[in-house]
Amino acid sequence: NPSFVIRAGILLPPIGAFNVNHDGPRYDFVERPLVSTQIIPATLSEVGGGVHGRLAPRGLSLSYDAYLTNGLGEGILLNSLGRLDLASGKSEERFAEDNNGEPALSARVAAQRRDLGEIGFSFYRGTYNSFRTDGVVVDDKRAVSLLAVDLRADVGPVSLQGEAAAAAVEVPESLTELYAERQWGGYLDAVMPVWRPRVLGLDEPVVSVGFRLDYVDRNRGRFAATRLPIGDDATALTAALSFRPAPGTVFRANYRTEWQRDFVGNPIVRRGGISVGFATYF
């Protein structure tokens, strides 16, 4: 029944809408949002099982997902970046074996109305460290938690899509000055069609312009000694021009400028660049 479906295998945990709906042809931007790669570790695939479904009360569509999966691993802390990074907690080994035997729980509920759009709320929590060896407890359990909210709406000719997420990680007390315990970020896309050319052989070609605002704070908090804010954040603004000869195909060109601040708060570094891309289904 569409209202209750059992699913098992390699899953996309529903942490926000982007991790589940990340296909390139859906977007007018070449790069993925910062929050969806540096806070939410998209694209995240894990082994597990659970249920999902869609309900249709009058005038509304409600969807839900709930899964138990292997979860992220110790790479969250033990990585080559030298800082907390949830994406580094992914590994191919976790498709075969969980490092601690504790499943992670992920869930999302969303409400959609055709005339308003959609809003969704997500949750993810799991133990990431190997706290037990051969049945003997050798360390405290430490968990990673994520909360996310996503939205999609049309305001006149403008399509809006965005997501915000916050992460909380239990870090050994001796490392809390170096590794973040809290992170957060968000993005907002605005895309508007500006020209519908008449091209022989194409049904509904469209040229669009778009803008994206990105922000991530990879280490929320203050230094214990000085009480000054910890840095390690980034802000980005992207302008996009795209051409869709068909709904599932997009040619796109972006200009992106980004402002980066390092861990200790040195002067902000600005950089920019142009990227072009092509995406389609096959």
Side-chain angles (χ1 to χ4, degrees):
N1 190 297
S3 64
F4 185 81
V5 180
I6 297 174
R7 173 180 287 167
I10 297 178
L11 309 172
L12 293 166
I15 317 169
F18 186 88
N19 193 59
V20 179
N21 300 300
H22 57 265
D23 293 0
R26 293 176 178 265
Y27 296 90
D28 293 69
F29 301 88
V30 177
E31 300 288 341
R32 292 179 171 181
L34 291 176
V35 66
S36 302
T37 55
Q38 298 186 19
I39 307 299
I40 299 172
T43 303
L44 176 63
S45 299
E46 294 183 343
V47 173
V51 296
H52 72 98
R54 184 173 293 274
L55 309 174
R58 186 174 181 180
L60 196 66
S61 176
L62 299 175
S63 63
Y64 69 91
D65 298 82
Y67 303 113
L68 291 174
T69 57
N70 274 354
L72 297 168
E74 291 183 301
I76 287 176
L77 292 182
L78 304 177
N79 57 64
S80 60
L81 300 176
R83 61 174 172 84
L84 185 136
D85 181 58
L86 268 61
S88 297
K90 300 184 293 185
S91 67
E92 292 186 5
E93 289 78 10
R94 301 186 63 73
F95 290 131
E97 183 180 13
D98 191 357
N99 67 320
N100 52 41
E102 294 274 329
L105 170 65
S106 59
R108 179 176 181 265
V109 293
Q112 179 182 7
R113 273 189 57 166
R114 182 170 298 180
D115 57 337
L116 294 178
E118 181 180 74
I119 184 168
F121 300 91
S122 309
F123 171 79
Y124 179 96
R125 182 175 174 85
T127 302
Y128 68 88
N129 67 316
S130 301
F131 64 89
R132 187 167 47 204
T133 302
D134 295 330
V136 178
V137 175
V138 296
D139 198 357
D140 295 329
K141 291 184 184 180
R142 299 190 184 90
V144 53
S145 302
L146 281 162
L147 291 174
V149 57
D150 57 85
L151 61 88
R152 178 179 54 81
D154 293 327
V155 181
V158 180
S159 297
L160 299 175
Q161 184 164 318
E163 197 162 286
V169 181
E170 296 174 354
V171 177
E173 188 174 350
S174 60
L175 300 177
T176 54
E177 194 82 342
L178 299 175
Y179 289 85
E181 294 181 278
R182 293 177 296 160
Q183 300 178 322
W184 81 280
Y187 84 95
L188 180 66
D189 289 351
V191 178
M192 182 177 70
V194 294
W195 185 32
R196 299 185 184 275
R198 300 177 66 179
V199 180
L200 185 65
L202 300 181
D203 291 334
E204 297 181 357
V206 59
V207 176
S208 301
V209 296
F211 295 92
R212 169 180 287 169
L213 178 63
D214 270 309
Y215 177 77
V216 289
D217 185 348
R218 305 181 192 94
N219 197 333
R220 290 188 61 197
R222 294 178 178 270
F223 290 107
T226 64
R227 304 308 302 165
L228 293 175
I230 300 173
D232 203 9
D233 56 74
T235 303
L237 182 63
T238 306
L241 177 66
S242 66
F243 170 59
R244 292 182 178 273
T249 300
V250 59
F251 297 85
R252 51 203 178 182
N254 295 174
Y255 175 74
R256 174 188 174 98
T257 183
E258 184 174 295
W259 296 265
Q260 289 267 7
R261 184 170 55 176
D262 66 11
F263 180 77
V264 295
N266 286 316
I268 292 174
V269 175
R270 181 181 177 184
R271 62 182 183 181
I274 296 172
S275 56
V276 295
F278 164 75
T280 190
Y281 291 103
F282 57 90

